[in-house]
């Protein structure tokens, strides 16, 4: 795998929180995480879903839906199965890493999610309409005679 575009690394300490939004409702079935080398790979993963506000304190303040003890995965061959009933109808997922294999910082090179899209997000459409038009509200330019005030 080519990691030339960089990695995600914790700034201070081992804690790292990653927010992944989706453009629909997803059933997440499995996750693949490739960590760094020399002990920087995460060793524990905490998973949350449909969280509206995210910060580093989420791992202390909110109970995760699932906690996964991880192995060092340099090649992406390990796949962690999720509790599908917990991660059904997911519009975003938050992944928290708070432990690694002994390094000062935590490094994540790749995150892959397996699942299926259930439906698109529904967007609210605002529509303005008139039941009975008032012609005075609709002034138009007549291309032959200049300005025209319909109804006045």
């Amino acid at each position: 795998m080519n990691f030339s575009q960089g990695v995600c690394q914790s700034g201070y300490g081992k804690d790292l929180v990653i927010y992944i939004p989706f453009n629909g409702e997803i059933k997440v079935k499995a996750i693949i995480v490739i960590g760094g080398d020399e002990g920087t790979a995460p060793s524990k993963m905490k998973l949350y879903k449909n969280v509206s506000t995210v910060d580093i304190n989420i791992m202390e303040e909110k109970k995760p839906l699932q906690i996964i003890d991880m192995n060092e995965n340099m090649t992406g061959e390990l796949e962690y199965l999720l509790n599908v009933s917990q991660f059904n109808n997911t519009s975003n997922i938050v992944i928290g890493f708070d432990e690694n294999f002994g390094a000062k910082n935590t490094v994540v090179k790749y995150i892959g999610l397996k699942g299926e899209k259930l439906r698109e997000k529904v967007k609210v459409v605002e529509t303005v309409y008139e039941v009975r038009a008032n012609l005075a509200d609709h002034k138009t330019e007549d291309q032959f005679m200049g300005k025209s005030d319909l109804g006045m």
Side-chain angles (χ1 to χ4, degrees):
M1 295 191 140
N2 180 7
F3 301 112
S4 61
Q5 294 183 351
V7 298
C8 186
Q9 180 174 341
S10 61
Y12 178 76
K14 299 176 182 181
D15 294 350
L16 181 63
V17 174
I18 298 173
Y19 173 80
I20 304 171
F22 302 121
N23 63 358
E25 290 185 5
I26 309 296
K27 180 190 291 186
V28 185
K29 298 178 180 180
I31 187 167
I32 300 167
V33 177
I34 298 177
D37 47 3
E38 299 177 5
T40 61
S43 63
K44 184 172 283 192
M45 176 170 41
K46 296 179 179 181
L47 298 165
Y48 309 85
K49 83 168 194 178
N50 300 340
V51 180
S52 57
T53 56
V54 179
D55 63 8
I56 196 72
N57 296 328
I58 190 170
M59 291 187 287
E60 296 171 3
E61 296 172 355
K62 188 169 181 177
K63 182 179 178 191
L65 291 177
Q66 188 168 349
I67 299 174
I68 298 174
D69 290 323
M70 303 172 64
N71 295 316
E72 289 187 277
N73 186 16
M74 304 300 175
T75 60
E77 294 175 1
L78 294 176
E79 182 177 295
Y80 301 101
L81 299 178
L82 302 185
N83 183 345
V84 179
S85 65
Q86 292 286 333
F87 291 94
N88 202 7
N89 299 324
T90 304
S91 60
N92 68 59
I93 192 166
V94 177
I95 305 170
F97 304 106
D98 61 352
E99 294 180 20
N100 62 25
F101 290 96
K104 186 171 77 170
N105 291 343
T106 301
V107 174
V108 174
K109 294 182 178 179
Y110 173 84
I111 296 176
L113 299 169
K114 290 187 176 182
E116 62 185 79
K117 189 172 191 175
L118 301 174
R119 64 189 72 70
E120 292 286 330
K121 283 187 180 176
V122 178
K123 296 181 180 179
V124 177
V125 177
E126 184 176 325
T127 305
V128 178
Y129 64 93
E130 296 180 49
V131 176
R132 184 179 299 169
N134 183 356
L135 293 178
D137 293 339
H138 302 282
K139 297 182 183 197
T140 61
E141 291 249 355
D142 188 311
Q143 61 179 327
F144 300 111
M145 298 174 41
K147 240 181 181 180
S148 171
D149 291 332
L150 299 175
M152 291 194 120

